[in-house]
Amino acid sequence: DGTRVRVEGIITALPGSFARQTLYVLDETGGIQVYFYDADFPEVTLGETVRVTGAMSTSHGERRIKMSSPTDLVITQEDSTITPILLSIPEINESRVGSLIQVKGLVQSRESEMLMIEEMGSELVVSLKSHPAIDAGRFERGDTITVTGVLASYDGEPRLRPRADSDIVVDESVATLALVS
């Protein structure tokens, strides 16, 4: 913590997707949260490549870069391609935190702000605290869903954070097959 760094990466989550003071960037080595206390980020869009300068820090076990000024973020290229990393839930580990990933799993349980999904005996929390909020009521236990989102860590527990409602797709063909058999 406190080490000054400079990172160049593609914006995968905008300020306000999870909190107004954070955004996420992804480069070839992985993803990381960018935090700015004042939340006075320059205007940015998904897919822009940016250079971020700041000090490394940790919040609830998740590494992040703390900006101190709006000039610490500079757009270097527009319209880059954002491709999530396709993973199975058992493949998820700490090295993937901050990355934009996509997983498929079976809904085991739901609460107002989270889903628990499972694949091959491994479980993953899907945190629905996004702006605008994602309605957990549209998912049922037993639904097979594909979720794209930023992998975060909260006190050592991996959590997948979809950025919007469109980041979660219910596999209707699996539900139909289950009803037929």
Side-chain angles (χ1 to χ4, degrees), residues 21-104:
Q21 296 170 309
T22 63
L23 62 81
Y24 280 82
V25 297
L26 178 70
D27 69 9
E28 63 280 349
T29 65
I32 193 160
Q33 181 187 114
V34 177
Y35 174 83
F36 187 26
Y37 178 81
D38 294 337
D40 187 21
F41 289 100
E43 186 151 333
V44 292
T45 59
L46 283 176
E48 286 182 320
T49 301
V50 295
R51 185 174 42 252
V52 179
T53 305
M56 290 300 300
S57 70
T58 306
S59 176
H60 295 285
E62 184 173 351
R63 301 294 286 156
R64 66 185 185 180
I65 300 170
K66 284 177 71 173
M67 292 174 41
S68 57
S69 164
T71 60
D72 288 343
L73 188 144
V74 176
I75 298 167
T76 59
Q77 180 182 339
E78 295 181 11
D79 299 326
S80 299
T81 303
I82 306 174
T83 304
I85 301 165
L86 304 176
L87 295 174
S88 66
I89 293 173
E91 293 177 307
I92 291 173
N93 58 49
E94 285 293 316
S95 71
R96 302 293 189 175
V97 170
S99 296
L100 184 68
I101 69 168
Q102 186 175 79
V103 298
K104 188 173 193 172

